[in-house]
Amino acid sequence: MHVPQGIAYSVLSGVAPVYGLYSSFFPALFYMIFGTSRHTSIGSFAVVALMSGIANERILTKYVHSSNSTMSPTEIATLTPIEVASTLTFALGMIQFATGLLRLEFLTAYFSDQLVAGFATGSACHVFTAQLDDIFGVNVPKVSGPGYIFRRIYDIIVRIPHANLCTVITSALGIIFLYVGKDWISPFVNKRLPVKIPIPYELILVIVSAAFSYLFKLNERYGMNIVGEIPAGMPEPQLPNIRILPDCLIGAAGIAAVTIAVHISMAKMLAKKMKYEIDAGQEFYALGLSAMLGGLFPIYPVSTALGRTMVNVEGGSKTQLSSLFSCLLLLTIILWLGPLLKTLPMCILAVIIIMALRSMFRKLADLKRL
C-alpha cells in the first residue's frame, strides 16, 4: 500500500508523484530504528498530506507575491514546492522532538476520539472534493477562502458535460475494482483460509492501469492525464531552506498536533491489544527524528497511516521488521522500477484516495451517539 498511496497523496501535498515514493521510504526507515511501537506504519496519510499541501501553497504564495521577502528574486524564482515540503517536514520534526523534550505527552489526553474523528471527517470532505476534477478529467480553477468547497463543486458540475469520457470510464472501473475486491473478494477468501492474507488491491490497480495506459496510449489518443516521468535513483540529501523555516514552523504546528494525536492513540491502542508496552516519550523522539532526518531528503510530511497499520496487524506482523521489507520493496522501485509508472493515469490516483476515505466518512455514523 505504500507505493500507490505514496504516489497518490503526493498530489494532495502539491508535489510530483516521485516524491511520494521517497516520503514512504525514508521516514519509515528511520522510525524503525527509533520507535517503540511494533505495528504502526509510518508513511503517507491523506489528512496530513492535505494539510501539508495547504501550508505548501500558502508559503509559496507568500514568497512569490511578497515585496518584503528576505529572499532574493533569484532565490524566490528557484523556490519549489518540494523544497517547501521538505523544509515543512523538518520543521514538523523539530516540533515533535521539542514536544518530547518538554514532556508534553500529557497534551494527547485532550485529543478526544470525537475531536479526532470530527477533524478527520472534515478533512476527508476537503480531500474528496480535491479529487473530483481528476475523476472527471476536467480543468477546474483554484479557489480559496470560506465556502470554497461549494464553489469548487459548482465549478466541477458545470464542467461535467466536457468531462473526458475515457477518464470517467477508467475512474468508474477503478472504483468498482477496489470496492468488489475489498468488500467482497477479501472477506470471501479470508473466511476460507486459516490466516488472513491482505491482498494489495491498490498496487494491482496501479500496475494494471499503468500497463493498460501504456499499451493503448490513453494519453496520446484520448487526452487522459498521466503521472509523467518518474526518475530512477536515490535523491541527494539537502539541508532545509533556513529562510522559509519560520513560516514552515507555523504551518507545521497544526500538522504536528494531528500526527501526534493519531500516532500516540493508535500506538497505545495496539500496544494494549497486543499486550506490550510503548514508551510515549520515546515515540515523540522517534517521530521527530524520523521527520528531521527524512526532511533532509525531498519528501512531504507523513504520519501513522490507519489503514496500513491495520493491514500490518491483520497480516500477523509482530515487529517493525515488516517496515524493513516494505522499505526494500520501495527501494527496488525507487532505484529501478519507478519509470515504469509514468503512464499511470492520474484518475487512478484519485480513485485510490477517494476509496481510502471511506473509513473516515463512516465516522458520520457516530453523530447519532453524540
Side-chain angles (χ1 to χ4, degrees), residues 166 208-224 343:
C166 183
V208 171
S209 59
F212 194 87
S213 174
Y214 172 77
L215 292 174
F216 293 94
K217 302 186 184 302
L218 299 183
N219 176 249
E220 294 88 344
R221 293 180 179 176
Y222 304 103
M224 179 183 289
T343 57

Side-chain angles (χ1 to χ4, degrees), residues 308-359:
R308 288 197 307 273
T309 297
M310 296 315 298
V311 168
N312 272 352
V313 175
E314 293 173 1
S317 172
K318 302 296 183 183
T319 69
Q320 277 292 330
L321 278 178
S322 59
S323 296
L324 177 61
F325 292 109
S326 296
C327 288
L328 290 175
L329 173 61
L330 283 164
L331 184 62
T332 303
I333 295 173
I334 290 171
L335 293 179
W336 297 292
L337 303 181
L340 298 178
L341 299 175
K342 69 177 182 179
T343 57
L344 176 64
M346 292 296 294
C347 63
I348 292 298
L349 299 183
V351 165
I352 292 172
I353 293 173
I354 287 176
M355 294 301 288
L357 297 176
R358 290 193 300 163
S359 61

Side-chain angles (χ1 to χ4, degrees), residues 143-202:
V143 292
S144 59
Y148 89 93
I149 286 184
F150 301 104
R151 283 183 286 167
R152 183 176 178 81
I153 292 175
Y154 172 79
D155 288 338
I156 291 172
I157 290 175
V158 298
R159 287 169 173 78
I160 285 180
H162 306 288
N164 186 304
L165 182 60
C166 183
T167 299
V168 173
I169 293 174
T170 304
S171 300
L173 291 175
I175 291 173
I176 293 171
F177 174 78
L178 292 181
Y179 175 76
V180 172
K182 291 189 173 186
D183 289 31
W184 293 83
I185 296 177
S186 284
F188 178 81
V189 171
N190 289 330
K191 283 182 180 179
R192 286 156 178 78
L193 294 177
V195 180
K196 289 185 177 180
I197 300 178
I199 303 174
Y201 292 104
E202 290 91 347

Side-chain angles (χ1 to χ4, degrees), residues 1-2 25 40 55 89 100 121 124 127 195 201 205 216 219 225 239 242 265 269 278 285 317 333 348 352-353:
M1 293 176 70
H2 271 295
F25 176 75
T40 52
T89 304
T121 304
V127 175
V195 180
Y201 292 104
L205 179 61
F216 293 94
N219 176 249
N225 292 329
L239 291 174
I242 303 300
S265 60
M269 181 193 74
I278 65 165
Y285 297 136
S317 172
I333 295 173
I348 292 298
I352 292 172
I353 293 173

